[in-house]
Amino acid sequence: MTATPRFPIFLHGGDYNPDQWLDRPDILERDVELMRQAHVNTVSVGIFSWARLEPEDGVYDFDWLDQVIDRLWQGGVHVALATPSGARPAWMAQKYPEVLRVDEHFRRRHFGERHNHCPSSPVYRRKVHEMNTRLAQRYAKHPAVILWHISNEYGGDCRCELCQNKWREWLQKKYGDLETLNRRWWTSFWSLRYTDWSQIEPPSPMGESSSTSMQVDWRRFSTDQCKDFLIAERDAVKAVCPELPCTTNLMERFWDYDYFSLAEAIDVVSWDAYPAWHSGDDLATAADFAMNHEIMRSLKDQPFLLLESTPSQVNWKPVNKLKRPGMHLLASLQAVAHGSQSVMYFQWRKGRGGSEMFHGAVVDHDGRGDTRVFRDVTQVGEALERLQPIYDLPRAKAEVCVIYDWSNWWAVDFAQTGHNRNMRYFDTVNMHYRSLWEQGVSVDFRDMRACTDLSGYKLVIAPMLFMFRDDFGAKLRAYVENGGTLLTTYHSGIVDGDDLAYLNGVPHDLTDVLGMRQAELDAIYPADEQSLVMLDGRTFRVTELCAVPEHLGAETLASYGHDFYAGVPCLTRNAFGKGTAYYLAAKVEQAGLDAIYREIADRLGLTRALDDKLPSGVVATERGGVVFLQNYSGKPQPVTLTDAYTDLLTGEQAVGTFEMPVNGVMALQKA
Ligand code: GLA
Ligand code: ZN
């Protein structure tokens, strides 16, 4: 499968803002030359160009963009063409204030900044439709244009009157009648009962903000609002040219919207990755970003695009460190190893002003093509050309599925329990994922939608799956009954899809499957001592959360080491139907999870990217039969390979024992 059928090549390039340099035609000339030198083949254009494209209401100016796209194309550079809805011109905000968003305090935004439009505004929708249609009519058939970059990093929500009405319509459609809503939102609590739809407002610190069922619904509604807006943008360009694929750039750890749902509206998933390398533990950072990449691949189970990353440093973190030598290639190829068909940057060239004038770029203010960063970028361009043979080959087929679900994330975060509002869902899932990633085991992420099919997996992991929506407990139960292996944890199966607590024992639907029941949930302080003690005495630290379980007959693999529940089972295994179900009662340190998953992987015979044992910090990831060996340890590492390989990046042989440099990366193909 290829994300960009008009140009089925690894994309290398980035956000390009020639509209900031319209009085400097020499810069465009120079850029095209530098792009060729840097092996850049694609740039994203027009992302924030509305003020240049429509300088006055209804007055359009595409001449400058014609010239830019034609010039790029002459230079062999392709274009991901953006729709400019991420920011709008001052005249529009002034003339039609309704295009601006209303915040959670019910205050209308003023002009400025970006990503702050109202998704319901009929005026904004009309203007966007008009703009997108014109862009499509003018450029969709241009040979340079290979992809629609719809808007930019959609996020947030709006509480204007129009959006409030949409919210009430959405609720009416979902619940039918008020009595049902009152029941499912549990509104007898604190006299929250509604007697008329018009009484329902969006959650707000000015009004109701503690109703968790309402909060979770608001996030679902906001997802649908964004999706509806995205679909309108997409349909405008597709009406002109149905075959040109659409993407919108997603973000890491992004909480606002359910990306599984949003991804249904686009042809290709793309995202923006900004890891904080060298901030302490690069292996942990790499595990975090590996999971982000894996989620992006999993959203549509397709190759994705890395649409933004920095060639050197960002300028919006508290500390903006440069990538150390080697890290640019390593981080870029991590994306490729996980299924990306591109390595793209923010930004091609630094502007002279604006808040991003010091954000890393391929080309710095001095416009030179002989800098360290430029050489790093060129190296990635060359590497992508060498890797073209695996361009449309997928990631190794996953035998493991991790359940990762946005409704669950919101429900976990809104629930007042345990470590109140600090339950760290993403981090928790990441710890489970990391154990498998470090072992070179391929993993899919799936959510709880009805379409999720677990039957093909040897192992399903459901960490902290507090909410079971869409009858997911029954699905997990059937999966185990039919021979699957499940691992679930504390704080799982506690509420249904409406965020209402289950009444007949938790994890719901699974107490007999697990042979365990969560009786209580303990939250402990950082200084508290607690541990998971394996049968053979290996002991691992436990932090944050401990379910105090009732033992219903599962086989005990480990017990708690301290406190009033010392000796109570903490890790169990239970045979159920044709399958097996593990229950992990507490948040155990990474080394403990590693031990648990090593044993499970051995027991199930899970396929690893490489059978050879690798030093800690060196990770193997397989795509298209090529093993990407990545050294995140911050030190040179000795590696011993049993088989003989060729490193596609250098063409050299890799056999026996050799040393991988700091931040080293290799693309090994069996010789
Ligand atoms: C985001 C945006 C870009 C730019 C970069 C800076 O990803 O999409 O426009 O602001 O961040 O890192
Ligand atoms: Zn609105």
Coordinates of all heavy atoms in Angstrom, one line a residue, residues 457-536:
Y457 N -4.8 -12.8 17.3 CA -3.7 -12.5 18.2 C -3.4 -13.6 19.1 O -4.3 -14.3 19.7 CB -3.9 -11.2 18.9 CG -4.0 -10.0 18.0 CD1 -5.2 -9.4 17.8 CD2 -2.9 -9.5 17.4 CE1 -5.4 -8.3 16.9 CE2 -3.0 -8.4 16.5 CZ -4.2 -7.8 16.3 OH -4.3 -6.7 15.5
K458 N -2.1 -13.9 19.4 CA -1.7 -14.8 20.4 C -1.8 -14.3 21.8 O -2.0 -15.0 22.8 CB -0.3 -15.3 20.2 CG 0.0 -16.2 19.0 CD 1.4 -16.7 19.0 CE 1.7 -17.6 17.8 NZ 3.1 -17.9 17.7
L459 N -1.7 -12.9 21.9 CA -1.7 -12.3 23.2 C -2.4 -10.9 23.1 O -2.1 -10.2 22.2 CB -0.2 -12.0 23.7 CG 0.0 -11.2 24.9 CD1 -0.6 -11.9 26.2 CD2 1.5 -10.9 25.2
V460 N -3.3 -10.7 24.0 CA -4.0 -9.4 24.1 C -3.7 -8.8 25.4 O -3.8 -9.5 26.5 CB -5.5 -9.6 23.9 CG1 -6.3 -8.2 24.2 CG2 -5.9 -10.0 22.4
I461 N -3.3 -7.5 25.4 CA -2.9 -6.9 26.7 C -3.9 -5.7 26.9 O -4.0 -4.9 26.0 CB -1.5 -6.4 26.6 CG1 -0.5 -7.5 26.3 CG2 -1.1 -5.7 27.9 CD1 0.9 -7.1 26.0
A462 N -4.5 -5.7 28.0 CA -5.5 -4.6 28.3 C -5.1 -3.9 29.6 O -5.6 -4.2 30.7 CB -6.9 -5.2 28.4
P463 N -4.1 -3.0 29.5 CA -3.7 -2.4 30.8 C -4.6 -1.3 31.2 O -5.1 -0.5 30.4 CB -2.3 -1.7 30.4 CG -2.0 -2.1 29.0 CD -3.3 -2.5 28.4
M464 N -4.9 -1.2 32.5 CA -5.8 -0.2 33.1 C -7.0 0.1 32.2 O -7.2 1.3 31.9 CB -4.9 1.1 33.3 CG -5.4 1.8 34.6 SD -4.9 3.5 34.6 CE -3.3 3.4 35.3
L465 N -7.7 -0.9 31.8 CA -8.8 -0.7 30.9 C -10.1 -0.5 31.8 O -10.9 -1.4 31.9 CB -9.0 -1.9 29.9 CG -9.8 -1.5 28.7 CD1 -9.2 -0.4 27.9 CD2 -10.0 -2.7 27.8
F466 N -10.1 0.6 32.4 CA -11.1 1.0 33.4 C -12.5 0.9 32.8 O -13.4 0.4 33.4 CB -10.8 2.5 33.8 CG -11.8 3.2 34.6 CD1 -12.0 2.8 35.9 CD2 -12.4 4.3 34.1 CE1 -12.9 3.5 36.7 CE2 -13.3 5.0 34.9 CZ -13.6 4.6 36.2
M467 N -12.7 1.4 31.6 CA -14.0 1.4 31.0 C -14.1 0.3 30.0 O -13.2 0.1 29.2 CB -14.2 2.7 30.2 CG -15.5 2.8 29.4 SD -15.7 4.4 28.5 CE -16.5 5.3 29.8
F468 N -15.2 -0.5 30.0 CA -15.5 -1.5 29.0 C -16.6 -0.9 28.2 O -17.8 -0.9 28.7 CB -15.9 -2.8 29.6 CG -14.7 -3.7 30.1 CD1 -15.0 -4.9 30.7 CD2 -13.4 -3.3 29.9 CE1 -13.9 -5.7 31.1 CE2 -12.3 -4.1 30.3 CZ -12.6 -5.3 31.0
R469 N -16.4 -0.4 27.0 CA -17.5 0.1 26.2 C -17.7 -1.0 25.1 O -16.9 -1.9 24.8 CB -17.2 1.4 25.6 CG -16.1 1.5 24.6 CD -15.9 2.9 24.1 NE -14.7 3.0 23.2 CZ -14.8 3.1 21.9 NH1 -15.9 3.1 21.3 NH2 -13.6 3.2 21.2
D470 N -18.9 -0.8 24.4 CA -19.2 -1.7 23.3 C -19.0 -3.2 23.7 O -18.5 -4.0 22.9 CB -18.4 -1.4 22.1 CG -18.8 -0.1 21.5 OD1 -19.9 -0.1 20.8 OD2 -18.2 1.0 21.7
D471 N -19.5 -3.5 24.9 CA -19.5 -4.9 25.4 C -18.1 -5.5 25.3 O -17.9 -6.7 25.0 CB -20.4 -5.7 24.5 CG -21.3 -6.6 25.3 OD1 -21.2 -6.5 26.6 OD2 -22.1 -7.4 24.8
F472 N -17.1 -4.7 25.6 CA -15.7 -5.2 25.4 C -15.3 -6.3 26.4 O -14.6 -7.2 26.1 CB -14.7 -4.1 25.5 CG -13.4 -4.4 24.8 CD1 -13.4 -4.5 23.4 CD2 -12.3 -4.6 25.5 CE1 -12.2 -4.8 22.8 CE2 -11.1 -5.0 24.9 CZ -11.1 -5.0 23.5
G473 N -15.9 -6.3 27.6 CA -15.7 -7.4 28.5 C -16.1 -8.8 27.9 O -15.3 -9.7 28.0
A474 N -17.2 -8.8 27.3 CA -17.7 -10.0 26.7 C -16.7 -10.4 25.5 O -16.5 -11.6 25.3 CB -19.1 -9.8 26.1
K475 N -16.2 -9.4 24.8 CA -15.3 -9.7 23.7 C -14.0 -10.4 24.3 O -13.5 -11.3 23.7 CB -15.0 -8.5 22.9 CG -14.3 -8.7 21.6 CD -14.1 -7.5 20.8 CE -15.2 -7.2 19.8 NZ -14.9 -6.0 19.0
L476 N -13.5 -9.8 25.4 CA -12.3 -10.4 26.0 C -12.5 -11.8 26.5 O -11.7 -12.7 26.3 CB -11.8 -9.5 27.1 CG -11.2 -8.1 26.7 CD1 -10.9 -7.3 28.0 CD2 -10.0 -8.3 25.9
R477 N -13.7 -11.9 27.1 CA -14.1 -13.2 27.6 C -14.1 -14.3 26.5 O -13.5 -15.4 26.6 CB -15.5 -13.1 28.2 CG -16.0 -14.3 28.8 CD -17.5 -14.1 29.3 NE -17.9 -15.3 30.0 CZ -17.7 -15.4 31.3 NH1 -17.1 -14.5 32.0 NH2 -18.0 -16.6 31.8
A478 N -14.8 -13.9 25.4 CA -14.9 -14.9 24.3 C -13.5 -15.2 23.7 O -13.2 -16.3 23.3 CB -15.8 -14.3 23.2
Y479 N -12.6 -14.1 23.7 CA -11.3 -14.3 23.1 C -10.5 -15.4 23.9 O -9.9 -16.3 23.3 CB -10.6 -12.9 23.2 CG -9.1 -13.0 23.0 CD1 -8.5 -13.3 21.7 CD2 -8.2 -12.9 24.0 CE1 -7.2 -13.4 21.5 CE2 -6.8 -13.0 23.9 CZ -6.3 -13.3 22.6 OH -4.9 -13.4 22.4
V480 N -10.6 -15.3 25.2 CA -9.9 -16.3 26.1 C -10.5 -17.6 25.9 O -9.9 -18.7 25.7 CB -9.9 -15.8 27.6 CG1 -9.2 -16.9 28.4 CG2 -9.2 -14.5 27.7
E481 N -11.9 -17.6 26.0 CA -12.6 -18.9 25.9 C -12.2 -19.7 24.6 O -12.0 -20.9 24.6 CB -14.1 -18.6 25.8 CG -14.9 -19.8 26.2 CD -16.3 -19.3 26.7 OE1 -16.7 -18.2 26.3 OE2 -17.0 -20.1 27.4
N482 N -11.9 -18.9 23.5 CA -11.6 -19.5 22.3 C -10.1 -19.8 22.1 O -9.6 -20.1 21.0 CB -12.0 -18.7 21.1 CG -13.6 -18.6 21.0 OD1 -14.2 -19.6 21.3 ND2 -14.1 -17.5 20.7
G483 N -9.3 -19.6 23.2 CA -7.9 -20.0 23.1 C -6.9 -18.9 23.2 O -5.7 -19.2 23.2
G484 N -7.3 -17.7 23.3 CA -6.4 -16.6 23.4 C -5.8 -16.4 24.8 O -6.2 -17.0 25.8
T485 N -4.7 -15.7 24.8 CA -4.0 -15.3 26.1 C -4.2 -13.9 26.4 O -3.9 -13.0 25.5 CB -2.5 -15.7 26.1 OG1 -2.4 -17.1 25.9 CG2 -1.9 -15.3 27.4
L486 N -4.8 -13.6 27.5 CA -5.1 -12.2 27.9 C -4.3 -11.8 29.1 O -4.1 -12.6 30.0 CB -6.6 -12.1 28.2 CG -7.0 -10.8 28.9 CD1 -7.0 -9.6 28.0 CD2 -8.5 -10.9 29.5
L487 N -3.7 -10.6 29.1 CA -3.2 -10.0 30.3 C -4.0 -8.7 30.6 O -4.0 -7.8 29.8 CB -1.7 -9.8 30.3 CG -1.1 -9.3 31.6 CD1 0.4 -9.8 31.7 CD2 -1.1 -7.8 31.8
T488 N -4.6 -8.6 31.8 CA -5.2 -7.4 32.2 C -4.8 -7.0 33.6 O -4.1 -7.8 34.2 CB -6.7 -7.4 32.0 OG1 -7.2 -6.0 32.2 CG2 -7.4 -8.3 33.0
T489 N -5.1 -5.8 34.0 CA -4.5 -5.3 35.3 C -5.5 -4.8 36.2 O -6.7 -4.7 35.9 CB -3.5 -4.2 34.9 OG1 -4.3 -3.0 34.6 CG2 -2.5 -4.5 33.8
Y490 N -5.0 -4.3 37.4 CA -5.8 -3.5 38.3 C -6.5 -2.4 37.5 O -6.1 -2.0 36.4 CB -4.8 -2.8 39.3 CG -3.7 -2.0 38.6 CD1 -3.9 -0.6 38.3 CD2 -2.6 -2.6 38.1 CE1 -3.0 0.1 37.6 CE2 -1.6 -1.9 37.4 CZ -1.8 -0.5 37.2 OH -0.9 0.2 36.5
H491 N -7.6 -1.9 38.1 CA -8.4 -0.8 37.6 C -8.9 -1.1 36.2 O -8.9 -0.2 35.3 CB -7.5 0.4 37.6 CG -8.3 1.7 37.7 ND1 -9.4 1.8 38.6 CD2 -8.2 2.9 37.1 CE1 -9.9 3.1 38.5 NE2 -9.2 3.7 37.6
S492 N -9.3 -2.3 35.9 CA -9.9 -2.7 34.6 C -11.3 -3.2 34.8 O -11.7 -3.8 35.8 CB -9.1 -3.8 33.9 OG -7.8 -3.3 33.6
G493 N -12.2 -2.9 33.8 CA -13.5 -3.4 33.8 C -14.4 -2.8 34.9 O -15.2 -3.6 35.5
I494 N -14.2 -1.6 35.3 CA -14.8 -1.0 36.4 C -16.1 -0.3 36.1 O -17.1 -0.3 36.8 CB -13.9 0.0 37.2 CG1 -12.5 -0.5 37.4 CG2 -14.5 0.6 38.4 CD1 -12.4 -1.6 38.4
V495 N -16.1 0.4 34.9 CA -17.4 1.1 34.4 C -17.7 0.7 33.0 O -16.9 0.2 32.3 CB -17.2 2.6 34.5 CG1 -16.9 3.1 35.9 CG2 -16.1 3.1 33.5
D496 N -19.0 0.9 32.7 CA -19.5 0.7 31.3 C -19.2 1.9 30.4 O -18.7 2.9 30.9 CB -20.9 0.2 31.3 CG -21.9 1.3 31.8 OD1 -21.5 2.5 31.9 OD2 -23.1 1.0 32.0
G497 N -19.7 1.8 29.2 CA -19.4 2.9 28.2 C -20.1 4.2 28.6 O -19.7 5.2 28.1
D498 N -21.0 4.2 29.5 CA -21.6 5.5 30.0 C -20.9 6.0 31.2 O -21.3 6.9 31.9 CB -23.1 5.3 30.4 CG -23.9 4.9 29.1 OD1 -23.7 5.5 28.1 OD2 -24.8 4.1 29.2
D499 N -19.8 5.3 31.6 CA -19.1 5.6 32.8 C -19.9 5.4 34.1 O -19.7 6.0 35.1 CB -18.6 7.1 32.8 CG -17.3 7.3 33.5 OD1 -16.6 6.3 33.7 OD2 -17.0 8.5 33.8
L500 N -20.7 4.4 34.0 CA -21.5 3.9 35.2 C -20.8 2.6 35.8 O -20.5 1.7 35.0 CB -22.9 3.6 34.9 CG -23.7 4.9 34.5 CD1 -25.1 4.4 34.0 CD2 -23.8 5.9 35.6
A501 N -20.7 2.6 37.1 CA -20.0 1.5 37.7 C -20.7 0.1 37.5 O -22.0 0.1 37.5 CB -19.8 1.7 39.2
Y502 N -20.0 -0.9 37.2 CA -20.6 -2.2 37.2 C -21.0 -2.7 38.6 O -20.2 -2.4 39.6 CB -19.7 -3.2 36.5 CG -19.5 -3.1 35.1 CD1 -18.3 -2.7 34.5 CD2 -20.6 -3.3 34.2 CE1 -18.1 -2.6 33.1 CE2 -20.4 -3.1 32.8 CZ -19.2 -2.8 32.3 OH -19.1 -2.6 30.9
L503 N -22.0 -3.4 38.7 CA -22.5 -3.8 40.0 C -22.3 -5.2 40.5 O -22.6 -5.6 41.6 CB -24.1 -3.5 40.1 CG -24.5 -2.1 39.8 CD1 -26.0 -1.9 39.9 CD2 -23.8 -1.2 40.9
N504 N -21.7 -6.0 39.5 CA -21.6 -7.5 39.9 C -20.2 -8.0 39.9 O -19.9 -9.1 39.4 CB -22.5 -8.3 39.0 CG -22.4 -7.9 37.6 OD1 -21.5 -7.1 37.3 ND2 -23.2 -8.4 36.7
G505 N -19.3 -7.2 40.4 CA -17.9 -7.7 40.6 C -17.1 -7.3 39.4 O -17.5 -7.3 38.2
V506 N -15.8 -6.8 39.7 CA -14.9 -6.4 38.6 C -13.6 -7.1 38.7 O -13.2 -7.6 39.8 CB -14.7 -4.8 38.7 CG1 -16.0 -4.1 38.5 CG2 -14.1 -4.5 40.1
P507 N -12.9 -7.2 37.5 CA -13.2 -6.7 36.2 C -14.5 -7.4 35.6 O -14.6 -8.6 35.6 CB -12.0 -7.1 35.4 CG -10.9 -7.3 36.3 CD -11.6 -7.8 37.6
H508 N -15.4 -6.5 35.2 CA -16.7 -7.0 34.7 C -16.5 -8.1 33.6 O -15.7 -8.0 32.7 CB -17.4 -5.8 34.1 CG -18.8 -6.1 33.5 ND1 -19.8 -6.5 34.3 CD2 -19.3 -6.2 32.3 CE1 -20.9 -6.7 33.6 NE2 -20.6 -6.6 32.3
D509 N -17.4 -9.1 33.7 CA -17.4 -10.2 32.7 C -16.2 -11.1 32.8 O -16.0 -12.1 32.1 CB -17.4 -9.7 31.3 CG -18.9 -9.4 30.8 OD1 -19.8 -10.1 31.3 OD2 -19.0 -8.6 29.9
L510 N -15.2 -10.8 33.7 CA -13.9 -11.5 33.7 C -13.5 -12.1 35.0 O -12.5 -12.8 35.0 CB -12.8 -10.5 33.2 CG -12.9 -9.9 31.8 CD1 -11.7 -9.1 31.6 CD2 -13.0 -11.0 30.8
T511 N -14.3 -12.0 36.0 CA -13.8 -12.5 37.3 C -13.6 -14.0 37.3 O -12.6 -14.5 37.8 CB -14.8 -12.1 38.5 OG1 -16.1 -12.5 38.1 CG2 -14.7 -10.7 38.8
D512 N -14.5 -14.7 36.6 CA -14.2 -16.2 36.5 C -13.2 -16.5 35.4 O -12.4 -17.5 35.5 CB -15.5 -16.9 36.1 CG -16.2 -16.4 34.9 OD1 -15.9 -15.3 34.5 OD2 -17.1 -17.1 34.3
V513 N -13.1 -15.6 34.4 CA -12.0 -15.8 33.4 C -10.6 -15.7 34.1 O -9.7 -16.5 33.8 CB -12.2 -14.8 32.3 CG1 -11.0 -14.9 31.3 CG2 -13.5 -15.0 31.6
L514 N -10.5 -14.7 34.9 CA -9.2 -14.4 35.6 C -9.0 -15.2 36.8 O -7.9 -15.4 37.3 CB -9.2 -12.9 36.0 CG -9.2 -11.9 34.8 CD1 -9.5 -10.5 35.3 CD2 -7.9 -11.9 34.1
G515 N -10.1 -15.7 37.4 CA -10.0 -16.4 38.7 C -9.6 -15.4 39.8 O -9.0 -15.7 40.8
M516 N -10.0 -14.1 39.5 CA -9.6 -13.1 40.5 C -10.7 -12.0 40.4 O -11.3 -11.8 39.4 CB -8.3 -12.4 40.1 CG -7.0 -13.3 40.2 SD -6.5 -13.6 41.9 CE -5.6 -12.1 42.2
R517 N -10.8 -11.2 41.5 CA -11.7 -10.1 41.6 C -11.0 -9.0 42.2 O -10.3 -9.2 43.2 CB -12.9 -10.6 42.4 CG -14.1 -9.7 42.4 CD -15.3 -10.3 43.1 NE -15.2 -10.1 44.6 CZ -15.6 -8.9 45.2 NH1 -16.1 -8.0 44.5 NH2 -15.4 -8.8 46.5
Q518 N -11.2 -7.8 41.7 CA -10.6 -6.6 42.4 C -11.6 -6.2 43.5 O -12.7 -5.8 43.2 CB -10.5 -5.4 41.4 CG -10.0 -4.2 42.1 CD -9.7 -3.0 41.2 OE1 -9.0 -3.2 40.2 NE2 -10.2 -1.8 41.5
A519 N -11.2 -6.3 44.7 CA -12.0 -6.0 45.9 C -11.9 -4.5 46.2 O -12.9 -3.8 46.4 CB -11.7 -6.9 47.1
E520 N -10.6 -4.0 46.3 CA -10.4 -2.6 46.6 C -9.2 -2.1 45.7 O -8.5 -2.9 45.2 CB -9.9 -2.5 48.1 CG -11.0 -2.9 49.1 CD -10.5 -2.7 50.5 OE1 -10.5 -1.6 51.1 OE2 -10.0 -3.7 51.1
L521 N -9.2 -0.8 45.6 CA -8.0 -0.2 44.9 C -7.3 0.7 45.9 O -7.8 1.7 46.3 CB -8.5 0.6 43.7 CG -7.4 1.2 42.8 CD1 -6.6 0.1 42.1 CD2 -7.9 2.2 41.8
D522 N -6.0 0.3 46.1 CA -5.2 1.1 47.0 C -4.3 2.0 46.2 O -3.8 1.6 45.2 CB -4.3 0.2 47.9 CG -3.7 0.9 49.1 OD1 -4.1 2.0 49.4 OD2 -2.8 0.3 49.7
A523 N -4.2 3.3 46.6 CA -3.2 4.2 46.0 C -2.1 4.5 47.1 O -2.5 4.8 48.2 CB -3.9 5.5 45.6
I524 N -0.9 4.4 46.7 CA 0.2 4.5 47.7 C 1.1 5.7 47.4 O 1.1 6.2 46.2 CB 1.0 3.2 47.8 CG1 1.6 2.8 46.5 CG2 0.1 2.1 48.3 CD1 2.5 1.5 46.6
Y525 N 1.7 6.2 48.4 CA 2.6 7.3 48.3 C 4.0 6.9 47.7 O 4.4 5.7 47.9 CB 2.8 8.0 49.6 CG 1.6 8.7 50.1 CD1 0.7 8.1 51.0 CD2 1.2 10.0 49.7 CE1 -0.5 8.7 51.4 CE2 0.1 10.6 50.1 CZ -0.8 10.0 51.0 OH -1.9 10.6 51.4
P526 N 4.7 7.8 47.1 CA 6.0 7.4 46.5 C 6.9 6.8 47.5 O 7.7 5.9 47.1 CB 6.6 8.8 46.0 CG 5.4 9.6 45.7 CD 4.3 9.2 46.7
A527 N 6.9 7.2 48.7 CA 7.8 6.6 49.7 C 7.3 5.3 50.3 O 8.1 4.6 51.0 CB 8.0 7.6 50.9
D528 N 6.1 4.9 50.0 CA 5.6 3.7 50.6 C 6.3 2.5 50.0 O 6.7 2.5 48.8 CB 4.1 3.5 50.3 CG 3.2 4.4 51.1 OD1 3.7 4.8 52.2 OD2 2.1 4.7 50.7
E529 N 6.5 1.5 50.8 CA 7.1 0.3 50.3 C 6.1 -0.8 49.9 O 5.2 -1.1 50.7 CB 8.0 -0.3 51.4 CG 9.3 -0.9 50.9 CD 10.2 -1.4 52.0 OE1 10.2 -0.7 53.1 OE2 10.8 -2.4 51.8
Q530 N 6.2 -1.2 48.7 CA 5.4 -2.3 48.2 C 6.1 -3.1 47.2 O 6.9 -2.5 46.4 CB 4.0 -1.8 47.7 CG 3.0 -2.9 47.4 CD 2.8 -3.9 48.6 OE1 3.6 -4.9 48.7 NE2 1.8 -3.7 49.4
S531 N 5.8 -4.4 47.0 CA 6.6 -5.1 46.0 C 5.8 -6.3 45.5 O 4.8 -6.7 46.1 CB 7.9 -5.6 46.6 OG 7.6 -6.4 47.8
L532 N 6.2 -6.8 44.3 CA 5.7 -8.0 43.7 C 6.7 -9.0 43.9 O 7.9 -8.8 43.4 CB 5.3 -7.7 42.3 CG 4.8 -8.8 41.4 CD1 3.8 -8.2 40.3 CD2 5.9 -9.6 40.7
V533 N 6.4 -10.1 44.6 CA 7.4 -11.1 44.8 C 7.0 -12.4 44.1 O 6.0 -13.0 44.3 CB 7.5 -11.5 46.3 CG1 8.6 -12.5 46.6 CG2 7.7 -10.2 47.2
M534 N 7.9 -12.7 43.1 CA 7.7 -13.9 42.3 C 7.9 -15.2 43.1 O 8.6 -15.2 44.2 CB 8.7 -14.0 41.1 CG 8.6 -12.8 40.2 SD 7.4 -13.1 38.9 CE 7.8 -11.9 37.7
L535 N 7.4 -16.3 42.6 CA 7.5 -17.6 43.4 C 9.0 -17.9 43.6 O 9.3 -18.5 44.7 CB 6.8 -18.7 42.6 CG 5.3 -18.7 42.6 CD1 4.8 -19.9 41.8 CD2 4.7 -18.6 44.0
D536 N 9.8 -17.6 42.7 CA 11.3 -17.9 42.8 C 12.0 -16.8 43.7 O 13.2 -16.8 43.7 CB 11.9 -18.1 41.5 CG 11.8 -16.8 40.6 OD1 11.4 -15.8 41.1 OD2 12.2 -16.9 39.4

